[in-house]
Structures are given as C-alpha cells and as structure tokens.
Amino acid sequence: MNKQARYNRKLSTLVLIVTVNLVLLELDRMEQKKRIEKLESTIEEMKRDKGE
C-alpha cells in the first residue's frame, strides 16, 4: 500500500470516529434536554401543590 492510500485510510477512519462521536454527543444532549424538561415540570408541579 502506498503512502497516499495509507493516508486516505487513516483519514477515513478519523472521519468515521469523529462522526460517530458527534452523533453520540447529540443523542446525549437530547436525553439531557428531556430530563431537564421533566425536572422543570416536576418543580412547577411541586410549587403549585405548595401554593407558592
């Protein structure tokens, strides 16, 4: 395998790793957003129950 082919293969691997990482980060961000929204609604419900 020549140098260019090796470089292309390494670059493709890096791009794949970065892409998978970005997808996983976005999924985690969406999960955190859902949890925050749920906590916010729970807090609002508790405030209403206390009459604040």
Side-chain angles (χ1 to χ4, degrees), residues 17-28:
I17 291 169
V18 169
T19 303
V20 169
N21 189 35
L22 287 173
V23 169
L24 292 175
L25 286 173
E26 181 63 19
L27 290 173
D28 189 50

Side-chain angles (χ1 to χ4, degrees), residues 4-18:
Q4 184 66 43
R6 236 179 320 197
Y7 175 78
N8 288 345
R9 183 174 175 190
K10 288 180 181 181
L11 186 60
S12 295
T13 303
L14 177 63
V15 168
L16 177 63
I17 291 169
V18 169

Side-chain angles (χ1 to χ4, degrees), residues 2-3 11 13 15 22-24 32 39 43-45 52:
N2 65 23
K3 288 183 181 183
L11 186 60
T13 303
V15 168
L22 287 173
V23 169
L24 292 175
Q32 287 180 0
L39 284 171
I43 290 169
E44 288 301 319
E45 185 179 316
E52 291 182 10

Side-chain angles (χ1 to χ4, degrees), residues 25-36:
L25 286 173
E26 181 63 19
L27 290 173
D28 189 50
R29 188 193 66 79
M30 289 171 41
E31 175 73 25
Q32 287 180 0
K33 183 179 177 185
K34 287 179 186 176
R35 291 178 69 198
I36 288 170

